[in-house]
Amino acid sequence: MHRARRLRRAMSLPEVLLWQRLRRRAGEVKFRRQHPLAPYVADFYCPAARLVVEVDGEAHNRADAPAHDARRDEWMRSRGLNVLRIAAADILRDPDAVAASVAAAASPLHRPADGPPPHAVHGEDQEYN
């Protein structure tokens, strides 16, 4: 909890830009920033969609960071969370477009259903001459 609070105060520029835009979309879906998911802290989390959004800067490509990110993603997915990784450069290039795509990923219309597709109603799939 203390770590998440500290991270909220020290957000990177891409994280700040994305957060500003996600907050404006409050009527659509709600996100939390620097949300603790022990033992990790997600950059952004949408509880309704069980969506974790990670902003990846250049440091995520160095040393053992890719392996660490893979372990972290697997841990989250094993708990039923969806992980969306976004390059910081993409946010800097077009923060509005990135925020729109993140919001779309969290939208109920874009989430997979919890079960199989519904059965066809009698005659629904038949062709008419």
Side-chain angles (χ1 to χ4, degrees), residues 111-118:
R111 279 187 265 143
D114 290 337

Side-chain angles (χ1 to χ4, degrees), residues 76-94:
M76 290 184 185
R77 286 188 182 106
S78 73
R79 281 144 181 88
L81 302 173
N82 300 304
V83 180
L84 177 61
R85 290 196 165 273
I86 301 171
D90 291 343
I91 297 170
L92 292 172
R93 193 173 10 266
D94 193 348

Side-chain angles (χ1 to χ4, degrees), residues 42-54:
D43 290 339
F44 301 98
Y45 179 62
C46 177
R50 298 187 55 78
L51 177 66
V52 173
V53 179
E54 290 296 318

Side-chain angles (χ1 to χ4, degrees), residues 82-128:
N82 300 304
V83 180
L84 177 61
R85 290 196 165 273
I86 301 171
D90 291 343
I91 297 170
L92 292 172
R93 193 173 10 266
D94 193 348
D96 293 322
V98 172
S101 68
V102 169
S107 167
L109 298 176
H110 291 86
R111 279 187 265 143
D114 290 337
H119 296 295
V121 176
H122 180 69
E124 183 178 305
D125 290 338
Q126 296 177 356
E127 289 186 30
Y128 295 97

